[in-house]
């Protein structure tokens, strides 16, 4: 293969967030060849937001010797994956019904795809990562929130209006705390990073002894879920208890997902999932008691392949050719 035809197979993956735009060149095997990031301008005019994205893309295109074949973008939802219109994401106030794909096609004259972060990351895991070879993929990224995506027979399941895959806002307690979405007892408000931090602070304020407090320099208010992960790794008992409680919330939720979808793999990504990986066997062992699916215990529960670069890989996966 000549150098020029090799590089023309490169896909530009773009990950737009509230504060930054991450860009990367990705090959047809899902390998990230080069990457960089620029600040996002999210609170100014629509044009300023677009210019920030174009600046990030240009910085990467200049290092792609033979140009790029397509641009895949993951952005915060809600958005319309069919038209590439960004509707009204809370952390991108610059864009309201903004035709992002259309603007970038006009500028770069290559195909442009847009989807939300978790859907795109689910597709990257299916094409190139931990869910390769599986047909009914459920993916969840657990960090400051919980995002989920479903990929069936190699295609993202979008539902009727493009709004499917909001598994983080599936409630497990109708009397539970109110989530940012307005519903009660969503798994996101119960088990994502901020909930872990809040439960830990409450226990420490109640007098619980733990190395977590030392890690926060004695300040209960400075305790975050990251410190719980660190303390657990160092053998702290309270940290273990808090992560176990988190697992006890996630397991019935995953049971609901399994009973609804009958997936052949469950993939977990994000910082909180990495912290919970030592508990994956515990989740698997208890899953059958939360499922009517008789084969729930056979479903692999695995960590995602892409970590912090899930957005770049996800964007690129939207433009990748179908696997043979
Ligand atoms: Zn919610």
């Amino acid at each position: 293969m000549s150098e020029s035809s090799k590089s023309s197979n490169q896909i530009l993956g773009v990950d737009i967030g509230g504060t930054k735009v991450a860009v990367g060149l990705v090959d047809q095997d899902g390998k990230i060849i080069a990457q960089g990031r620029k600040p996002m301008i999210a609170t100014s005019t629509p044009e300023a937001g677009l210019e920030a994205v174009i600046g990030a893309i240009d910085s990467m295109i200049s290092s792609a010797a033979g140009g790029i074949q397509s641009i895949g973008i993951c952005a915060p939802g809600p958005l319309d994956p069919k038209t590439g219109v960004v509707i009204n994401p809370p952390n991108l106030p610059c864009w309201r019904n903004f035709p992002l794909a259309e603007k970038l096609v006009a500028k770069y004259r290559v195909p442009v795809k847009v989807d939300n972060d978790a859907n795109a990351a689910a597709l990257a895991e299916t094409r190139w990562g931990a869910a390769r070879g599986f047909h009914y993929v459920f993916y969840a990224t657990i960090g400051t929130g919980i995002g989920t995506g479903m990929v069936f027979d190699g295609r993202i399941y979008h539902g009727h209006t493009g709004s499917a895959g909001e598994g983080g806002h599936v409630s497990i307690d109708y009397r539970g705390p109110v989530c940012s979405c307005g519903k009660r007892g969503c798994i996101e408000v119960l088990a994502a990073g901020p909930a872990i931090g809040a439960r830990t602070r409450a226990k420490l304020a109640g007098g619980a002894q733990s190395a977590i407090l030392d890690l926060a320099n004695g300040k209960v208010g400075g305790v975050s879920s990251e410190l719980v992960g660190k303390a657990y790794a160092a053998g702290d008992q309270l940290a273990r208890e808090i992560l176990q409680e988190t697992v006890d919330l996630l397991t019935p939720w995953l049971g609901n997902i399994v009973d609804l979808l009958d997936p052949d793999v469950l993939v977990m990504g994000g910082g909180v999932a990495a912290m919970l990986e030592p508990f994956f066997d515990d989740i698997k062992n208890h899953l059958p008691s939360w499922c009517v699916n008789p084969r729930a215990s056979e479903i692999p529960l695995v960590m995602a392949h892409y970590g912090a670069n899930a957005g770049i890989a996800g964007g690129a996966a939207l433009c990748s050719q179908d696997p043979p």
Side-chain angles (χ1 to χ4, degrees):
M1 193 187 268
S2 75
E3 199 53 44
S4 62
S5 66
K6 220 194 249 170
S7 44
S8 67
N9 281 336
Q10 290 173 357
I11 310 167
L12 192 74
V14 183
D15 178 10
I16 302 177
T19 57
K20 54 98 188 94
V21 184
V23 282
L25 288 174
V26 181
D27 72 12
Q28 290 291 340
D29 299 320
K31 201 168 144 238
I32 298 170
I33 301 156
Q35 62 177 299
R37 59 168 60 202
K38 298 274 180 195
M40 176 61 189
I41 300 164
T43 53
S44 180
T45 61
E47 291 71 29
L50 181 64
E51 282 309 314
V53 173
I54 286 173
I57 291 174
D58 285 347
S59 71
M60 199 41 63
I61 283 184
S62 58
S63 60
I68 49 160
Q69 67 152 48
S70 50
I71 300 174
I73 298 178
C74 67
L79 53 82
D80 183 342
K82 272 199 208 104
T83 58
V85 170
V86 175
I87 300 169
N88 59 346
N91 57 349
L92 292 178
C94 58
W95 290 342
R96 292 292 175 263
N97 295 309
F98 186 74
L100 179 62
E102 191 186 302
K103 297 273 186 194
L104 293 175
V105 168
K107 163 102 183 146
Y108 293 104
R109 305 277 166 204
V110 294
V112 175
K113 292 266 171 79
V114 182
D115 212 320
N116 84 44
D117 330 39
N119 283 348
L123 190 63
E125 293 298 332
T126 307
R127 289 271 197 272
W128 304 311
R132 204 169 173 169
F134 291 92
H135 295 279
Y136 306 102
V137 177
F138 178 76
Y139 167 86
T141 175
I142 311 180
T144 51
I146 297 184
T148 68
M150 296 167 282
V151 179
F152 302 143
D153 288 327
R155 302 253 177 270
I156 295 170
Y157 177 76
H158 284 117
H160 175 51
T161 64
S163 309
E166 289 292 348
H169 298 287
V170 166
S171 173
I172 58 165
D173 182 0
Y174 72 93
R175 292 167 301 193
V178 178
C179 179
S180 62
C181 72
K183 288 167 59 173
R184 283 188 182 273
C186 296
I187 193 65
E188 174 170 299
V189 73
L190 291 170
I196 295 172
R199 265 189 290 122
T200 311
R201 291 190 296 273
K203 284 180 198 268
L204 290 170
Q209 296 299 306
S210 163
I212 302 168
L213 205 49
D214 304 331
L215 291 170
N217 299 319
K219 294 194 179 89
V220 173
V223 168
S224 62
S225 61
E226 287 79 13
L227 296 187
V228 179
K230 272 191 193 154
Y232 171 74
D236 183 71
Q237 192 50 43
L238 182 69
R240 162 174 281 280
E241 186 185 312
I242 285 161
L243 294 185
Q244 182 66 54
E245 283 170 9
T246 308
V247 161
D248 293 345
L249 291 160
L250 287 167
T251 307
W253 171 72
L254 272 177
N256 294 344
I257 301 286
V258 166
D259 278 340
L260 190 66
L261 303 180
D262 192 18
D264 56 1
V265 69
L266 300 164
V267 183
M268 300 286 141
V272 171
M275 229 156 71
L276 295 176
E277 196 180 0
F279 294 82
F280 278 12
D281 280 345
D282 181 279
I283 295 176
K284 276 199 65 146
N285 291 338
H286 289 95
L287 201 53
S289 38
W290 291 101
C291 289
V292 295
N293 187 317
R295 301 179 70 172
S297 63
E298 296 171 21
I299 305 169
L301 171 63
V302 295
M303 259 319 276
H305 169 71
Y306 293 102
N309 296 325
I312 291 172
L318 300 172
C319 297
S320 68
Q321 286 148 11
D322 288 343

